[in-house]
Amino acid sequence: MVKNIASYLGLALTICILLQVSFSSEETVDLSRYSTDGLVLNYTVKPDVSITDNVETSNEGYEAFSPYLGKSFVGFKEALAFSESGGNYATINTYGYLGKYQFGKETLKLIGVRNLHNFLNNPKLQEKAFIANAQRNKWILRRDINRFVGKRINGVLVTESGILAAAHLAGPGSVKKYLRSYGLDNFADGYGTTISNYMKRFSGYDTSFLIANKKAKVNTL
């Protein structure tokens, strides 16, 4: 009995000594190798001041793509192209509309394009066709542009770029009906996209670059 008590006391004393040694000896860790001194930790991208909202267009109708297109004319046509085809020059949709801007065959004839195979394989020609068609639509809708720009129809502010985008979607005649009915005659294409949709989506772009031209044609040579 006495031996057992002595054994327990000895064990308890040993544990106390070990704990005291453990707490009294603080472990030190060398953190110098984890220092961030001298490292460049600022990863903010410097803005490219050489890029502006307006990208100059070439005589051939081509421009270098830039994410800084803003509300420029190039921004307008590239946004419209993305909506129409995802920017694909070679695509033909289920209704037979062709190219980056999804032209109908009859519209192409009006602006002087008859060789559809050549049209699909010629990006420069497609860019020229877009300009010519927009100039023609601007001439047809010139009075409506003067009359309605700045007004609201179906809650959407009417702008020149919205009118021209809607004309690309539905044709200038349908846009006239929409404007003069104050939105009651709201054409929708085969996929359900309406004039009102395009009026809103493409509002406020700078389309002053386009000169209204009743006889706008594409030089296919």
Side-chain angles (χ1 to χ4, degrees):
M1 181 69 174
V2 175
K3 289 183 178 180
N4 288 339
I5 294 174
S7 297
Y8 290 140
L9 289 174
L11 179 60
L13 180 60
T14 302
I15 292 174
C16 289
I17 293 171
L18 290 174
L19 289 174
Q20 184 177 3
V21 172
S22 175
F23 285 115
S24 63
S25 59
E26 295 182 359
E27 181 181 0
T28 58
V29 179
D30 182 10
L31 298 177
S32 62
R33 58 177 174 171
Y34 300 106
S35 173
T36 58
D37 291 343
L39 295 179
V40 178
L41 300 177
N42 181 6
Y43 295 102
T44 302
V45 178
K46 182 179 178 181
D48 189 343
V49 296
S50 66
I51 301 176
T52 65
D53 280 348
N54 293 309
V55 178
E56 294 184 0
T57 58
S58 69
N59 293 330
E60 296 299 325
Y62 259 178
E63 309 81 18
F65 173 76
S66 166
Y68 296 90
L69 297 177
K71 289 290 186 175
S72 66
F73 174 72
V74 178
F76 169 72
K77 73 182 189 64
E78 292 303 322
L80 186 57
F82 186 81
S83 177
E84 291 287 323
S85 71
N88 186 350
Y89 286 106
T91 190
I92 303 175
N93 77 2
T94 52
Y95 294 95
Y97 289 84
L98 304 99
K100 178 179 177 180
Y101 300 100
Q102 293 291 277
F103 277 101
K105 298 175 183 178
E106 295 305 316
T107 299
L108 288 174
K109 287 180 182 178
L110 287 174
I111 57 176
V113 178
R114 296 183 179 276
N115 187 327
L116 301 183
H117 177 75
N118 180 49
F119 177 77
L120 273 178
N121 291 280
N122 192 332
K124 289 184 180 180
L125 181 57
Q126 292 191 34
E127 297 296 335
K128 290 179 181 179
F130 178 81
I131 299 296
N133 187 57
Q135 288 178 324
R136 180 176 174 275
N137 286 340
K138 189 169 182 176
W139 186 88
I140 295 171
L141 291 162
R142 65 196 185 283
R143 293 190 179 91
D144 297 276
I145 290 171
N146 290 333
R147 177 181 174 187
F148 290 101
V149 165
K151 296 182 179 181
R152 287 189 177 273
I153 296 178
N154 288 334
V156 177
L157 180 66
V158 178
T159 64
E160 181 178 284
S161 61
I163 289 176
L164 294 177
H168 186 86
L169 171 78
S174 294
V175 175
K176 280 189 177 186
K177 292 178 182 178
Y178 173 83
L179 293 171
R180 296 178 186 186
S181 70
Y182 285 87
L184 294 178
D185 194 339
N186 193 7
F187 170 92
D189 71 2
Y191 300 106
T193 305
T194 65
I195 288 176
S196 182
N197 293 149
Y198 264 37
M199 284 277 191
K200 182 177 181 179
R201 187 182 302 178
F202 299 103
S203 173
Y205 285 88
D206 181 7
T207 51
S208 60
F209 166 84
L210 294 168
I211 299 172
N213 184 356
K214 179 181 180 180
K215 299 180 179 180
K217 298 280 185 181
V218 176
N219 181 2
T220 58
L221 297 179

